[in-house]
């Protein structure tokens, strides 16, 4: 059959090829303030993502290595970040 060539990983499986354990912890907090003006409510929310700033990787650059090559990280979890949201409900 003319199916073309296939690339096969010939490196024996080992623990060094596993992705590291990911510790992704997010927290959120919010507060509502009742205003005297027409029953309006002022809302403030804060969310912090990746609290421990875990630099876990999500994928390798390549899964096919030549002899002596090592796996190189390609995609990481987004770094720690804080998002604020404010709103007015009336």
């Amino acid at each position: 059959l003319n199916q073309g060539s296939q690339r096969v990983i010939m490196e024996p499986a080992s623990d060094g090829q596993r992705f590291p354990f990911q510790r992704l912890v997010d927290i959120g907090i919010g507060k509502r303030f009742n205003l005297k003006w027409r029953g309006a409510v002022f809302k403030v929310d804060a969310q912090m993502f990746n609290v421990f700033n875990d630099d876990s990787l999500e994928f390798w650059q390549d899964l096919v290595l030549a002899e002596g090559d090592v796996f190189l990280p390609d995609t990481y979890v987004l770094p720690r970040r804080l998002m604020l949201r404010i709103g007015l409900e009336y």
Side-chain angles (χ1 to χ4, degrees):
L1 297 173
N2 187 12
Q3 296 179 345
S5 63
Q6 297 295 318
R7 301 180 94 184
V8 179
I9 300 172
M10 299 300 290
E11 180 76 18
S14 70
D15 284 339
Q17 298 166 350
R18 294 180 184 269
F19 293 128
F21 181 74
Q22 295 184 0
R23 294 179 311 263
L24 304 177
V25 178
D26 303 332
I27 60 171
I29 190 167
K31 178 71 177 163
R32 297 170 63 100
F33 300 94
N34 293 321
L35 304 176
K36 302 290 183 190
W37 179 71
R38 298 184 184 179
V41 178
F42 180 71
K43 301 184 283 187
V44 178
D45 294 314
Q47 295 179 336
M48 180 174 278
F49 298 101
N50 199 1
V51 174
F52 298 125
N53 201 23
D54 188 15
D55 293 333
S56 296
L57 61 102
E58 300 232 291
F59 205 72
W60 305 113
Q61 285 182 2
D62 196 359
L63 295 178
V64 180
L65 303 177
E67 186 176 343
D69 286 350
V70 294
F71 287 100
L72 297 174
D74 180 51
T75 307
Y76 287 92
V77 174
L78 291 172
R80 179 186 306 134
R81 63 198 185 279
L82 177 67
M83 298 178 77
L84 297 173
R85 179 175 58 185
I86 59 172
L88 181 62
E89 182 179 313
Y90 57 93

